[in-house]
Amino acid sequence: METEVRAATAKDETLQRVINALESEVWPKTLSKFKCIAEDLSVLNGIVMKRGCAVIPELLRKRALDIAHTGHPLAAKLKSILRERVWWPGMTVDAEQWVEGCQACATTGKPAKPTPMTRSFAPKAAWQTIALNFNGPYAKLGGILILVVVDYRSRYLFAKPIRSTGLEHVKNYLDRVFEIEGYPQNIKTDNGPPFNSEDYKKYCRERGINAIFSTPFFPQQNGLVEGYMKLVNKAIATAISTGTNYVKELQAAVEAHNAAAH
């Protein structure tokens, strides 16, 4: 490869002018891309070097890209491989375009960014739509979970420590909440247990509640209740770090939230 680079350099008019400019210290305007890095350039055995990297003549640049792209690294990795060995003006852009033009990388590379989510507007009435989710388990507290219930309109929050995601535990707590607030029109959950069971769907149907499920493995779609996990985690972490009762800490955090304006 060194012999090829030397031979191609001898035929490359631009690099020959660079060699002359390095010797004469007179830089024509057409070599502005090289003049700005003149202190990093040198000539070794007929090859122009930039801090130990060979400056590749234009004739060999596609071949250099092809060799460096063995194994189909994506753009960032390809640029890293090239920078360790070679250089030429515009090499970064050439590397990105090389990967973009590679059919294998296009079909097996990183997936495209997801379509931006559509904003979800609050219901017109309180307790029309609520969201449920679990947080935990917390190993330091014996594996307890926190069942979080939040109203989409008022942002009113309930949080209850429970021992299991079993439907009986969830039903018992929801029944107590519904005795106070009444039945909502909609309940939004993820697809985890017990919400993915037929018994849960039957529970909702019997009470005239529409069960809404977020897309599997896409917690952002149930983002309102997911956002309240920070509040829950902070309360639990405070209890653990201070040695206080986690139930009281959780209750205090929920009450402080509900007392604030939303």
Side-chain angles (χ1 to χ4, degrees), residues 232-257:
V232 173
N233 284 332
K234 183 178 179 181
I236 299 299
T238 299
I240 292 173
S241 63
T242 61
T244 54
N245 184 287
Y246 74 89
V247 176
K248 291 183 178 180
E249 288 289 350
L250 180 62
Q251 182 180 0
V254 170
E255 289 177 354
H257 167 79

Side-chain angles (χ1 to χ4, degrees), residues 144-164:
I144 63 102
L145 301 104
I146 308 297
L147 176 59
V148 178
V149 182
V150 60
D151 173 41
Y152 261 79
R153 177 67 186 184
S154 65
R155 301 303 199 255
Y156 198 83
L157 182 66
F158 295 88
K160 171 69 174 178
I162 61 175
R163 291 288 175 184
S164 168

Side-chain angles (χ1 to χ4, degrees), residues 16-27 41-43 46:
Q16 288 303 306
R17 289 200 300 271
V18 170
I19 293 174
N20 293 334
L22 287 170
E23 295 174 349
S24 65
E25 297 185 354
V26 177
W27 291 86
L41 298 176
S42 60
V43 181

Side-chain angles (χ1 to χ4, degrees), residues 92-170:
T92 296
V93 175
D94 290 346
E96 292 172 350
Q97 292 177 345
W98 186 271
V99 173
E100 289 175 0
C102 174
Q103 185 175 359
C105 290
T107 56
T108 62
K110 291 182 178 180
K113 292 183 179 180
T115 303
M117 289 184 288
T118 303
R119 181 178 294 276
S120 177
F121 293 96
K124 294 182 179 181
W127 212 248
Q128 180 176 319
T129 300
I130 66 173
L132 310 182
N133 205 355
F134 292 98
N135 206 31
Y138 296 92
K140 293 184 178 181
L141 298 176
I144 63 102
L145 301 104
I146 308 297
L147 176 59
V148 178
V149 182
V150 60
D151 173 41
Y152 261 79
R153 177 67 186 184
S154 65
R155 301 303 199 255
Y156 198 83
L157 182 66
F158 295 88
K160 171 69 174 178
I162 61 175
R163 291 288 175 184
S164 168
T165 60
L167 183 58
E168 288 303 316
H169 291 80
V170 175

Side-chain angles (χ1 to χ4, degrees), residues 10-85:
K11 298 178 182 179
D12 191 293
E13 295 182 4
T14 300
L15 292 185
Q16 288 303 306
R17 289 200 300 271
V18 170
I19 293 174
N20 293 334
L22 287 170
E23 295 174 349
S24 65
E25 297 185 354
V26 177
W27 291 86
K29 293 182 179 180
T30 55
L31 297 179
S32 59
K33 293 181 180 179
F34 291 90
K35 182 182 178 181
C36 64
I37 58 168
E39 294 183 357
D40 298 331
L41 298 176
S42 60
V43 181
L44 179 64
N45 297 328
I47 299 175
V48 181
M49 307 293 293
K50 179 181 180 290
R51 290 191 175 186
C53 295
V55 178
I56 301 299
E58 187 173 357
L59 183 65
L60 296 179
R61 290 173 189 173
K62 288 186 177 180
R63 185 176 176 196
L65 287 166
D66 188 38
I67 294 173
H69 198 228
T70 300
H72 297 279
L74 296 180
K77 185 65 175 178
L78 176 59
K79 288 184 283 188
S80 175
I81 293 170
L82 290 167
R83 287 173 186 142
E84 292 179 1
R85 299 164 176 82

